[in-house]
Amino acid sequence: MEELDFSQLRWVCPLEDVVSQEGDEAPFIGQDRAQKALIFGLSMGYDGYNVYVAGPEGLGKTTYVMELLRGLCKERPVPPDWCYVHNFSNSQSPIALSLPPGAGKELQQEMDNLIETLKRELPKAFESKDFEEKLHEVTERGRKEKEELMAGLASLAEEKGFSVKFSPAGVVVVPLIGGKVVPEEDILKNAYLRELVESRRKEFEPLLKEYLRKLRQVDKEIQAKVVQLREEVARFVVDHYMDDMLEKYQDLPRVREYLEAVKGDLVKGADLFLQFPAAQDNPLLLLQLERSLAKYKVNVVVDNGGLTCAPVVYETHPTYTNLFGRIGVRAELGVYVADFQQIVPGSIHRANGGYLVLKVPELFANLGVWRALKRALVHREISIQPLMDELGLPHPVTTLRPESIPLDVKVILIGERLHYHLLMALDPEFEELFKVKADFDTQVDNIPQVRRDYRRLLDRLVERDALLPLAPSGAASLLEYTCRLAQDRKKLSLQMSKVVGMLREANHWAKGLGKDQIEAEDVEKALEEKVYRANLLEERLQEDIRRNIIVVETQGREVGQCNGLSVVDLVDYSFGRPHRITARAFAGEKGIVNIEREADLSGKIFNKAVLILSGYLGHQYGRGRPLSLSATLAFEQSYSMVEGDSASAAELMALLSAIAQVALAQNLAATGSVDQRGMVQAVGGINEKIEGFFHCCRVKGLTGDQGVVFPAANLDHLQLSPYVVKAVEEGMFHLYPVSHVNEVIALLTGMEPGERDGEGKFYPDTFHALVEARLEEFRRVALEKKGEGDEKGGK
């Protein structure tokens, strides 16, 4: 087994690839697939072609989407304004008006100016001499008609033996005898007079009623003519100030229809305006009058007058009210009331005609939002209603039912891949509404062109955040850092949030030293400080290993004991930890007993890996005969859950050592997944594992013969820290890539693994021969015990 050359341990970025270059705007590298999907979905004019942007946090998905939309939005026109106005037929259902961009504010201002003008001009019109003369003419004509009727009634009454007197309280009819008024008491005492008056009354009453009807009719006609006159005057004034508005909006039928309704209501409600002069010294009356005239205002919920293209709205806090708006209420005389002026728009109103960007975690963190969003997209309309109504719960205040606004918006959801798959599986409507998935990659090929593009992107970030210029060495060091993040020397990570964080921290250290650019040592300093802030637990672990509180052997040889490696993931920091894996073997039929599993301290993948070891033993040593083996396998001083199969190679070596009674070198640690044929497969966290064992050896004392055996399939994943590379270069630490268990056996035992001869037997004095011989001994012991048991059973 050849030891790994130190030049293979770390990819070093060629400086010529990261020299600052002039060029087009920095690309979003490695996201061609996502870009094509986004452009396709956003260009489709059919329902349901909204886009789900999938990928882990930190890739710059939101930044990419927003920049792409800022370009695409220029291809779409500016959408119309939307206003809510009073519905004169049903005040509980405000009307939604669509106007050209910027016309909403104009209409609002024009209506406000109209009302202010009418407050001045209507009282003037009703105080004019012309109006007073016409009013006098109408009332005087009516008065004469009434006087003629009253005179006729008095003459008729006198003929019939009655006298008629008119007063504000009504008409009084008094009997006449001989042309003189006779007191009522005298008539009642005289039977003859009583009968005479009664007969005359019966004859006169129908005539009286007819005259009274005519008098009332005249009053009604006078009142109607006065009302008509007032309406004519009001209409003349209103028409004078509204004709230009009606002509301006003649091409907008709904707006014109609304203005006609306003005009009619203004004419009928002109009396309100006549009270303003007298109300100037009465604040309470003035307030009541202003509230009465508020119905003529215009509530502009969407004003697109300042836009030059379709809107792009990113709602960072998509609560129900933030997204869909709300209907406010106000207290009046102890009662909560609502009107169209309390309608407040949401993000979806502002994004209508353009693009709406939402993040999935925030979206689902708010009650009722997802269901309301789906309904809006399905029905292509925006309805404003309280959240309580959306949830089907009673609402304490009677609210409005505003007219729905047609919806034309492209929704872009940004979330994890897991969220996408959950929605696909659990929500039948999701696939119909979000037909396009834009999947963001987490890494990109490490090739010269990509490195040059990455450099341009880094320069752009430097300019955006006003950082120090990036020297070629600093850019190279950053790209090496991305390679470490990708855990692959042939890939560069696209976790832009981490790259930007490292760039800013390197800028901090460079400024602290008074530099005029960011160099490689500044990036390395930033990385060291980042690790120092996060690795307290790792240092405490290494201290426990140094003090033998946690026992890890890094020298000598032991039977049935091998150093394995795992990764401790603290979310913000990961590090490798060595484990002392021990095994004991003896004759029996129990097979391999996984102590971690028996203690409920192992995961499913770990348990599967132990079962695979049984398959390897059977394949390697159980040809033609059953194995008789009882063995125990344990992670010593492990008190938490163990998961994964990366310790398979070390477990197998401990087990085989226990069976063969051959000691294993403790100066080496092994990592790798093993299949049933003995092939050593790639594992994750290879850099952390190697560095973890190196730290362990360093605190216990480097001897120059220590190292790690790891899968050759992980060669491309090596991006080790400079101090490990230096130790390998100086011969103080060693790395051995392997592809098969036989190579691990040779390294850890110093013995020839062994091959089978023509008769199918292992060559003598080889490791496999010792294992097979010991297993055969176990089998004989087991058979002897079984024979003794059978004899006792027979007796």
Side-chain angles (χ1 to χ4, degrees):
M1 276 60 62
E2 293 185 3
E3 183 179 348
L4 191 66
D5 188 279
F6 76 90
S7 62
Q8 296 176 268
L9 304 186
R10 183 180 175 90
W11 171 76
V12 178
C13 177
L15 291 182
E16 61 268 19
D17 288 346
V18 289
V19 176
S20 184
Q21 304 174 21
E22 295 293 331
D24 298 331
E25 188 175 353
F28 278 86
I29 54 178
Q31 304 300 355
D32 293 343
R33 182 194 304 269
Q35 182 180 16
K36 288 180 180 179
L38 271 164
I39 294 175
F40 168 75
L42 298 176
S43 63
M44 291 292 286
Y46 301 99
D47 292 349
Y49 281 89
N50 300 293
V51 182
Y52 187 102
V53 177
E57 284 293 324
L59 295 180
K61 301 188 298 296
T62 303
T63 302
Y64 179 84
V65 167
M66 294 302 291
E67 295 216 4
L68 179 64
L69 291 179
R70 290 189 187 102
L72 293 177
C73 71
K74 298 175 182 177
E75 302 174 5
R76 299 184 66 179
V78 179
D81 291 352
W82 283 96
C83 306
Y84 273 109
V85 295
H86 181 70
N87 186 341
F88 294 97
S89 299
N90 181 1
S91 61
Q92 294 301 108
S93 299
I95 298 171
L97 296 180
S98 174
L99 295 98
K105 286 290 186 181
E106 291 180 11
L107 177 63
Q108 182 186 57
Q109 188 61 50
E110 288 167 349
M111 286 299 299
D112 290 344
N113 292 341
L114 173 66
I115 298 305
E116 291 301 318
T117 301
L118 293 179
K119 287 179 186 179
R120 298 189 308 270
E121 299 302 324
L122 277 175
K124 288 180 182 179
F126 282 95
E127 292 171 0
S128 67
K129 184 177 180 180
D130 182 59
F131 172 74
E132 290 181 354
E133 288 177 352
K134 290 181 179 180
L135 180 62
H136 178 72
E137 181 182 345
V138 170
T139 55
E140 186 63 22
R141 188 182 304 120
R143 184 185 64 77
K144 288 180 179 180
E145 288 183 16
K146 287 179 68 177
E147 285 180 352
E148 289 175 3
L149 284 173
M150 288 187 288
L153 177 59
S155 176
L156 179 63
E158 189 173 350
E159 290 178 8
K160 299 300 181 180
F162 291 97
S163 172
V164 178
K165 295 181 179 181
F166 296 92
S167 70
V171 179
V172 178
V173 179
V174 180
L176 295 177
I177 301 298
K180 297 181 180 181
V181 177
V182 180
E184 188 72 22
E185 294 82 2
D186 295 345
I187 295 174
L188 292 175
K189 293 177 182 177
N190 189 318
Y192 170 76
L193 291 177
R194 189 169 60 247
E195 290 178 6
L196 178 62
V197 171
E198 189 64 32
S199 64
R200 290 178 179 177
R201 192 186 300 276
K202 288 180 181 180
E203 183 180 354
F204 178 65
E205 275 187 353
L207 300 175
L208 175 63
K209 289 180 180 179
E210 178 63 21
Y211 268 91
L212 292 177
R213 185 191 65 76
K214 290 179 179 180
L215 285 170
R216 288 194 299 271
Q217 183 64 32
V218 170
D219 284 336
K220 289 181 181 178
E221 290 176 359
I222 295 172
Q223 184 178 2
K225 289 179 180 179
V226 170
V227 170
Q228 182 181 358
L229 176 61
R230 296 175 71 88
E231 287 185 356
E232 288 176 356
V233 173
R235 183 173 290 106
F236 175 81
V237 176
V238 172
D239 285 349
H240 177 73
Y241 291 103
M242 289 195 69
D243 283 347
D244 290 344
M245 292 177 63
L246 288 167
E247 183 178 354
K248 178 180 178 180
Y249 298 105
Q250 63 180 351
D251 295 332
L252 300 173
R254 296 209 69 203
V255 178
R256 186 177 177 87
E257 181 183 347
Y258 164 70
L259 291 176
E260 291 287 358
V262 169
K263 184 169 73 171
D265 196 74
L266 285 171
V267 170
K268 291 180 181 179
D271 287 344
L272 280 174
F273 294 88
L274 304 184
Q275 300 179 50
F276 271 90
Q280 297 305 312
D281 298 328
N282 188 338
L284 181 59
L285 176 59
L286 189 62
L287 177 61
Q288 292 175 345
L289 291 174
E290 292 289 355
R291 286 181 176 175
S292 299
L293 296 181
K295 61 183 176 180
Y296 300 116
K297 289 184 175 294
V298 174
N299 182 6
V300 182
V301 293
V302 179
D303 176 22
N304 289 323
L307 299 183
T308 58
C309 59
V312 177
V313 177
Y314 172 35
E315 178 53 69
T316 59
H317 186 38
T319 62
Y320 183 85
T321 54
N322 284 354
L323 194 57
F324 298 102
R326 61 183 175 85
I327 303 173
V329 295
R330 67 172 186 270
E332 269 190 22
L333 301 176
V335 178
Y336 287 108
V337 295
D339 60 39
F340 72 95
Q341 293 183 82
Q342 266 69 51
I343 298 175
V344 180
S347 302
I348 198 168
H349 293 85
R350 296 191 296 275
N352 198 10
Y355 307 93
L356 176 63
V357 181
L358 301 167
K359 283 198 171 182
V360 173
E362 287 81 1
L363 185 70
F364 282 90
N366 292 283
L367 190 65
V369 173
W370 175 240
R371 185 168 65 175
L373 178 62
K374 287 194 301 179
R375 186 175 61 253
L377 293 176
V378 168
H379 299 289
R380 297 180 64 83
E381 64 180 22
I382 310 171
S383 298
I384 300 180
Q385 60 181 351
L387 177 60
M388 302 293 281
D389 289 356
E390 173 67 30
L391 300 176
L393 300 174
H395 197 273
V397 180
T398 301
T399 58
L400 308 177
R401 295 293 177 186
E403 183 181 5
S404 298
I405 294 177
L407 178 63
D408 177 22
V409 70
K410 286 288 186 179
V411 178
I412 299 94
L413 294 184
I414 301 177
E416 301 275 353
R417 294 189 182 100
L418 174 62
H419 299 151
Y420 176 82
H421 294 303
L422 287 174
L423 286 168
M424 287 287 287
L426 302 177
D427 192 333
E429 295 176 314
F430 176 74
E431 187 176 5
E432 292 300 315
L433 294 174
F434 292 86
K435 295 180 183 293
V436 179
K437 175 188 177 184
D439 208 348
F440 271 63
D441 203 349
T442 59
Q443 54 191 19
V444 65
D445 290 339
N446 186 1
I447 58 178
Q449 182 58 50
V450 171
R451 293 196 287 270
R452 288 191 287 270
D453 289 342
Y454 219 126
R455 172 60 203 252
R456 289 163 55 204
L457 179 58
L458 291 174
D459 286 340
R460 181 180 177 185
L461 295 172
V462 165
E463 181 181 357
R464 184 195 70 182
D465 293 350
L467 307 178
L468 292 175
L470 195 57
S473 65
S477 187
L478 273 172
L479 290 190
E480 292 167 19
Y481 171 67
T482 69
C483 188
R484 169 72 179 237
L485 291 176
Q487 293 281 318
D488 192 330
R489 289 190 297 167
K490 294 184 178 181
K491 299 289 182 180
L492 299 177
S493 173
L494 295 176
Q495 298 180 61
M496 298 311 300
S497 62
K498 293 184 178 180
V499 175
V500 171
M502 186 57 60
L503 180 59
R504 290 171 178 168
E505 292 176 26
N507 178 77
H508 169 80
W509 295 111
K511 277 188 173 181
L513 295 175
K515 294 184 177 181
D516 58 0
Q517 60 181 353
I518 302 172
E519 299 176 337
E521 52 264 32
D522 303 312
V523 177
E524 292 169 3
K525 173 67 174 176
L527 183 57
E528 289 174 8
E529 291 295 328
K530 184 179 178 67
V531 170
Y532 177 74
R533 293 193 300 269
N535 74 339
L536 177 61
L537 183 60
E538 180 184 23
E539 289 186 357
R540 292 293 176 264
L541 176 68
Q542 296 300 335
E543 181 181 355
D544 288 345
I545 291 174
R546 179 180 60 81
R547 298 170 60 191
N548 284 325
I549 296 173
I550 295 177
V551 179
V552 177
E553 301 292 344
T554 59
Q555 298 180 41
R557 307 178 74 84
E558 294 287 343
V559 173
Q561 178 174 297
C562 183
N563 289 324
L565 300 171
S566 70
V567 175
V568 178
D569 189 355
L570 302 178
V571 181
D572 64 327
Y573 181 69
S574 299
F575 62 91
R577 174 189 172 175
H579 287 274
R580 188 163 46 95
I581 300 174
T582 60
R584 292 294 179 264
F586 38 86
E589 303 292 339
K590 291 184 179 181
I592 302 174
V593 177
N594 176 5
I595 293 178
E596 310 301 320
R597 179 182 180 181
E598 297 300 315
D600 290 329
L601 287 176
S602 61
K604 292 182 179 180
I605 297 175
F606 183 88
N607 296 336
K608 174 187 175 183
V610 174
L611 294 175
I612 289 174
L613 298 185
S614 299
Y616 170 80
L617 292 177
H619 167 77
Q620 186 75 353
Y621 307 111
R623 298 182 180 185
R625 57 183 181 273
L627 296 179
S628 297
L629 172 68
S630 290
T632 57
L633 198 61
F635 272 55
E636 302 294 349
Q637 292 186 293
S638 173
Y639 309 108
S640 58
M641 182 66 68
V642 180
E643 180 60 302
D645 62 354
S646 65
S648 300
E651 291 169 334
L652 179 59
M653 290 308 304
L655 183 61
L656 294 178
S657 170
I659 295 172
Q661 289 296 293
V662 174
L664 301 177
Q666 300 301 296
N667 57 308
L668 298 177
T671 184
S673 168
V674 176
D675 67 11
Q676 295 186 99
R677 299 177 302 158
M679 303 298 295
V680 179
Q681 304 164 135
V683 296
I686 189 65
N687 294 298
E688 289 83 355
K689 290 173 180 177
I690 292 173
E691 291 167 2
F693 191 66
F694 173 80
H695 289 313
C696 175
C697 294
R698 186 169 60 179
V699 298
K700 292 185 75 73
L702 285 171
T703 59
D705 61 351
Q706 294 148 330
V708 175
V709 180
F710 69 98
N714 281 120
L715 277 172
D716 284 339
H717 304 149
L718 294 181
Q719 189 69 8
L720 295 168
S721 300
Y723 50 81
V724 178
V725 175
K726 182 179 179 181
V728 173
E729 182 181 3
E730 294 174 350
M732 296 301 294
F733 198 71
H734 308 272
L735 297 177
Y736 303 95
V738 297
S739 300
H740 195 274
V741 167
N742 286 346
E743 299 173 68
V744 185
I745 291 171
L747 286 167
L748 294 183
T749 66
M751 296 181 62
E752 183 69 27
E755 300 290 339
R756 293 187 183 274
D757 58 19
E759 297 179 359
K761 296 181 179 180
F762 286 110
Y763 288 107
D765 300 324
T766 63
F767 183 80
H768 287 311
L770 291 177
V771 174
E772 188 172 58
R774 190 75 188 280
L775 289 173
E776 178 61 23
E777 181 182 340
F778 287 166
R779 190 176 73 85
R780 286 197 303 270
V781 172
L783 287 174
E784 290 174 1
K785 288 184 177 180
K786 183 177 180 182
E788 293 176 0
D790 291 342
E791 290 179 5
K792 292 180 180 179
K795 294 179 180 179

